[in-house]
Amino acid sequence: MHKLISAIMPAYRAKAHIREAIQSIQNQTYQNWELLIIQDLPDDGTEEIIRKTAAKDSRIRLVQNHARQGIAQSLNLGMRLADGEYIARMDADDLSHKRRFEEQVHFLNSHPQISLCGTWQHHFGQGREWIHKTAVSPDRCRANLLFSCDLCHSTVMFRRQDFIGRKLFYDPNYLAEDFELWSRAVGRLQFANLPKVLGEYRWDGNNITVRNMDSLAKEHAQIVAKALQNNLGITVSAEQKRLLEGWGNPFYAQRNKKARQKMYQELEGLLRQIYSKNRQVRFYEEQALLAALNAQWRYAKYREPRNVVRDAKSIDAIFLKNQHPDYRLLWKEFQSRHVSAGQDVKRAVRYLRGW
């Protein structure tokens, strides 16, 4: 029987959580799927768990790499081997809610112009307790992806042929292989998200993201700079790239206030340039871009989360001198990402004040 969905799950030293991850796929209300698990080396006992599970469920296929390939190459292999019309991403330490496939298939079947559908995602573990509420509409998705990876990777489902046919594969030269791919693909395809929490992202200290924060910050700026060049024809200098780093706030890392103010002036100039150039080429829908520029400015200036929607009436309104941080938002952000409630109050006060 032809499987409509091919779920692709890379597995590398995943024995701690892979049973739960597989079970969350088996529990789906939509059952016309296959699960390709790409097992990378070295093995820590993960392969045995996969084989035992696959022996009881013929929809599960183990693909064993014979040498260490990494997540990007494993995902590319899975895309090529998949039989399904739709590719569903899944990580070996995350969870999918039981109605995820059903709701995504219904959406993609009803919206043939959309190539990729993600969902909101709950982050949990190690004091983390927050929901990544991604942009929903195609216009907002395109604009938000300019500055940040506003798609939850292990929740996405996309049309296999739309990516394969355009040779849109993951680039193994990037740690943020998902952000880099979406940044390339969003200019040729339409993305959307379901405003529902249908995935669970586990923070346990062993995530690739957690282990590579410093490298990801620099790489983030490179991806943004490449998108600006490709989409708007804007060349970002080496000095300007530091303004676009992610996974940490480069402005608050600058302790010298005069130097920090200079960075803000440079960022304002770059954001105004982006807005002006887009009015010529119209790559981004204007209101969606204004919201993304506003979010980037408030992230830099006040450390507000970039995925919080902040509409702006005009480009000038973003930089008004009477703007202030939303302290309730910052406090909620601090609690969800950094400490358990009631702990380290002094650190929280420094965070809210910017030091």
Side-chain angles (χ1 to χ4, degrees), residues 92-337:
D93 54 353
D94 291 345
L95 302 169
S96 289
H97 289 205
K98 65 181 182 179
R99 289 180 57 86
R100 175 194 162 191
F101 285 2
E102 178 183 348
E103 300 213 23
Q104 288 181 299
V105 165
H106 174 74
F107 180 85
L108 289 171
N109 286 346
S110 304
H111 298 81
Q113 76 280 15
I114 303 297
S115 296
L116 179 148
C117 172
T119 81
W120 290 356
Q121 189 176 53
H122 173 227
H123 290 222
F124 70 99
Q126 290 205 339
R128 300 268 173 155
E129 186 68 31
W130 70 288
I131 295 174
H132 187 169
K133 296 182 178 181
T134 49
V136 175
S137 72
D139 285 341
R140 296 278 177 159
C141 286
R142 174 178 281 202
N144 280 22
L145 280 168
L146 175 57
F147 293 113
S148 64
C149 190
D150 199 31
L151 283 175
C152 301
H153 196 188
S154 61
T155 73
V156 301
M157 182 181 290
F158 56 87
R159 300 181 194 275
R160 177 177 178 272
Q161 191 55 41
D162 285 1
F163 280 77
I164 294 272
R166 293 171 175 81
K167 295 182 171 55
L168 291 170
F169 291 97
Y170 294 92
D171 189 332
N173 296 309
Y174 288 85
L175 289 168
E177 75 290 328
D178 53 338
F179 185 27
E180 194 278 332
L181 175 57
W182 312 144
S183 295
R184 270 188 292 127
V186 76
R188 305 170 68 183
L189 304 171
Q190 289 196 61
F191 298 172
N193 282 295
L194 298 179
K196 300 179 181 181
V197 178
L198 296 176
E200 301 282 333
Y201 183 89
R202 187 191 308 272
W203 284 80
D204 63 1
N206 295 315
N207 312 68
I208 293 174
T209 301
V210 174
R211 298 196 305 269
N212 295 283
M213 288 292 190
D214 290 341
S215 297
L216 280 165
K218 304 293 184 185
E219 184 181 273
H220 185 104
Q222 295 173 9
I223 294 171
V224 176
K226 185 170 70 169
L228 287 172
Q229 181 68 61
N230 293 339
N231 302 339
L232 297 176
I234 293 175
T235 301
V236 178
S237 69
E239 281 296 303
Q240 288 175 317
K241 284 182 181 178
R242 64 182 178 147
L243 309 173
L244 302 172
E245 291 181 6
W247 301 102
N249 191 311
F251 298 85
Y252 282 81
Q254 174 56 259
R255 307 291 291 195
N256 184 291
K257 291 187 178 182
K258 287 186 178 180
R260 193 198 299 183
Q261 282 304 120
K262 185 174 184 295
M263 290 174 67
Y264 285 136
Q265 292 171 4
E266 293 170 353
L267 178 62
E268 179 178 344
L270 178 58
L271 297 184
R272 287 184 180 276
Q273 182 185 6
I274 291 169
Y275 177 76
S276 177
K277 191 59 182 289
N278 186 68
R279 298 208 79 180
Q280 299 173 29
V281 302
R282 299 187 181 279
F283 184 85
Y284 300 101
E285 192 275 329
E286 182 159 334
Q287 291 304 312
L289 179 61
L290 279 171
L293 295 174
N294 196 19
Q296 179 68 12
W297 177 254
R298 296 188 70 85
Y299 165 78
K301 190 78 171 177
Y302 307 123
R303 293 204 287 191
E304 290 184 3
R306 271 181 292 207
N307 66 304
V308 174
V309 175
R310 284 255 183 205
D311 288 331
K313 293 181 179 179
S314 68
I315 187 66
D316 291 331
I318 293 173
F319 309 108
L320 289 176
K321 301 302 181 183
N322 61 353
Q323 298 277 28
H324 299 287
D326 185 334
Y327 286 105
R328 290 174 299 178
L329 182 63
L330 287 174
W331 175 245
K332 184 177 180 181
E333 175 80 358
F334 181 83
Q335 284 187 308
S336 66
R337 293 174 182 253

